[in-house]
């Protein structure tokens, strides 16, 4: 039997990344391609999942990605990420994406996207392994946990309904 893992707060594994966008990432409209934003969000979330679980973790699902505003070539894009929920071997990791023009340091950052990823911690053979429970400390972290539980319930209900329709 595996010993119980010590609970960890969301702040334990919190990560922020930043990049300056370039023309390489632009789409046909001249804005940054949404896939580039997804990739950056997934990389940030992956770092959080691996830090929380103290080892390898893989993306199992992108539960939701909402694009709120375009990102422009030259913007400084920042991602902010933390674990919102942890189960036996999986975790929901939330990511907030903000952008700011590189040449306007006094400009406010704009919330341009949000995403919720599900990660599974894996062992050396690629099998799921236990993750530490989550111990929220602030009202905001408790709210995030509650909302993550709602998303999880919806994912499971959707899967069950689809499976029932196929049998």
């Amino acid at each position: 039997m595996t010993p119980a893992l010590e609970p960890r707060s969301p702040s334990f594994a919190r990560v922020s990344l930043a990049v300056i966008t370039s023309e390489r990432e632009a789409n046909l409209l001249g804005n940054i391609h949404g896939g580039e934003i997804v990739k950056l969000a997934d990389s940030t979330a992956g770092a959080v999942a691996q830090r929380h679980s103290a080892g390898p973790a893989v993306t199992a699902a992108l539960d939701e990605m909402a694009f709120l505003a375009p990102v422009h070539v030259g913007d400084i894009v920042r991602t902010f990420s933390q674990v919102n929920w942890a189960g036996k071997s999986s975790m929901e990791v939330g990511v907030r994406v903000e952008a700011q023009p590189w040449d306007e340091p006094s400009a406010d950052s704009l919330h341009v996207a949000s995403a919720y990823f599900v990660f599974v911690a894996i062992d050396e053979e690629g099998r799921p392994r236990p993750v530490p429970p989550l111990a929220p400390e602030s009202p905001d972290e408790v709210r995030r946990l509650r909302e993550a539980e709602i998303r999880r319930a919806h994912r499971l209900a959707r899967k069950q309904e689809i499976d029932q329709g196929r049998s």
Side-chain angles (χ1 to χ4, degrees), residues 5 7-9 12 25 28 43 71 89 105 120 125 151 167:
L5 298 169
R8 293 187 171 151
S9 70
F12 176 84
E25 295 99 16
L28 295 174
S43 294
V71 176
S89 62
V120 174
E125 285 85 39
R151 283 186 291 275
S167 55

Side-chain angles (χ1 to χ4, degrees), residues 21-38 67 69-74:
T21 58
S22 71
E23 291 177 350
R24 255 188 348 248
E25 295 99 16
N27 61 21
L28 295 174
L29 297 176
N31 298 319
I32 300 306
H33 194 287
E36 296 292 335
I37 303 302
V38 173
F67 294 99
V71 176
H72 303 101
V73 171

Side-chain angles (χ1 to χ4, degrees), residues 63 85 90 148-164:
D63 189 45
W85 174 89
S90 63
E149 289 171 340
I150 293 168
R151 283 186 291 275
R152 181 174 186 271
H154 286 190
R155 278 193 306 276
L156 294 174
R158 183 175 58 238
K159 182 184 182 318
Q160 182 179 16
E161 190 171 337
I162 288 171
D163 289 347
Q164 286 175 348

Side-chain angles (χ1 to χ4, degrees), residues 19 21 31-34 36-38 40-41 65-72 75-80 95-101 108-115:
V19 298
T21 58
N31 298 319
I32 300 306
H33 194 287
E36 296 292 335
I37 303 302
V38 173
L40 180 60
M65 182 84 196
F67 294 99
L68 308 172
V71 176
H72 303 101
D75 281 356
I76 297 171
V77 177
R78 293 182 185 89
T79 55
F80 304 90
V95 182
R96 178 184 173 99
V97 183
E98 295 182 356
Q100 180 185 37
D108 290 335
S109 292
L110 180 63
H111 182 192
V112 296
S114 289

Side-chain angles (χ1 to χ4, degrees), residues 40-51 55 57 59 81 93 95 117 119:
L40 180 60
D42 185 38
S43 294
T44 311
V48 168
Q50 292 190 44
R51 288 167 63 123
T59 308
S81 185
V93 180
V95 182
F117 291 86
F119 279 81

